[in-house]
Amino acid sequence: MKKLAKLDLNRCPQNHGCPSIRVCPVGAITQKNRRSAPVIDEALCIGCGKCAMFCPRKAIFMVKED
Ligand code: SF4
C-alpha cells in the first residue's frame, strides 16, 4: 500500500514560503509564490513522510492509498 502526502488547506496559512519544499527528497512539492498553498505532485511523491513531519502547522499529512 502506497502512502501519499496531502495538504490540509485549513491548516496552511498561505502567507509564507513553504518550509517543507526543501526537505522533499524528490522535489514533489512546489509553490507558485509565498501567498499560495504548496502543491504536492502525487506522481512524484514516494510517501517518505518528511514533509508531514517538518511542517510546523501540521498542514501536510499522510494517507494510505490502495
Ligand atoms: S512524503 Fe516525502 S516524497 Fe512525498 S511530498 Fe512529502 S517529502 Fe516529498
Side-chain angles (χ1 to χ4, degrees), residues 1-59:
M1 192 181 290
K2 190 186 177 193
K3 279 188 177 178
L4 283 176
K6 299 273 186 187
L7 179 73
D8 182 347
L9 274 177
N10 292 320
R11 284 182 170 267
C12 177
Q14 299 168 58
N15 63 2
H16 60 281
C18 174
S20 292
I21 289 173
R22 65 177 182 270
V23 301
C24 178
V26 294
I29 308 174
T30 54
Q31 186 180 28
K32 257 188 205 153
N33 59 64
R34 293 172 63 83
R35 301 245 165 225
S36 63
V39 175
I40 301 164
D41 186 334
E42 294 186 358
L44 290 177
C45 176
I46 57 172
C48 70
K50 287 185 180 175
C51 56
M53 283 190 287
F54 200 71
C55 174
R57 304 295 291 259
K58 301 285 179 228

